[in-house]
Amino acid sequence: MFSDFDDTDAKCGFIGPNGRQFSALREMLGANRMTLEEAQSFAVFNSLSYADADAHDFLFVDLDGLGGIGKVFDRLVSLRTNYPTV
């Protein structure tokens, strides 16, 4: 997946349940020598300092695990507005 991506120090976060999707993503990233932080909720991510939250290069969101796009749309818009570089 990341054959042209050479920044294995990228900070990757995950919002959603710690389940099958999280495990598969962690395994895939690990195969490319990248780490994935522990699964967290929107509330936990939003409780981070701005600097800690903004330090993420990638933030994966398990839409299905959180009930679908309709349930999390406003939170996604807020994330994009508050942390445009993530």
Side-chain angles (χ1 to χ4, degrees), residues 35-67:
T35 58
L36 180 63
E37 296 179 338
E38 291 300 319
Q40 57 191 333
S41 65
F42 280 105
V44 170
F45 186 82
N46 288 330
S47 72
L48 299 174
S49 70
Y50 182 83
D52 285 342
D54 195 51
H56 287 80
D57 297 294
F58 300 100
L59 186 61
F60 298 92
V61 180
D62 181 359
L63 295 176
D64 291 334
L66 296 171

Side-chain angles (χ1 to χ4, degrees), residues 1 3 16 20-21 27 30 32-33 35 50 55-56 63 65 71 84:
M1 175 180 173
S3 60
R20 187 177 54 130
Q21 301 299 344
E27 183 178 319
N32 289 279
R33 298 180 321 276
T35 58
Y50 182 83
H56 287 80
L63 295 176
K71 289 192 174 191

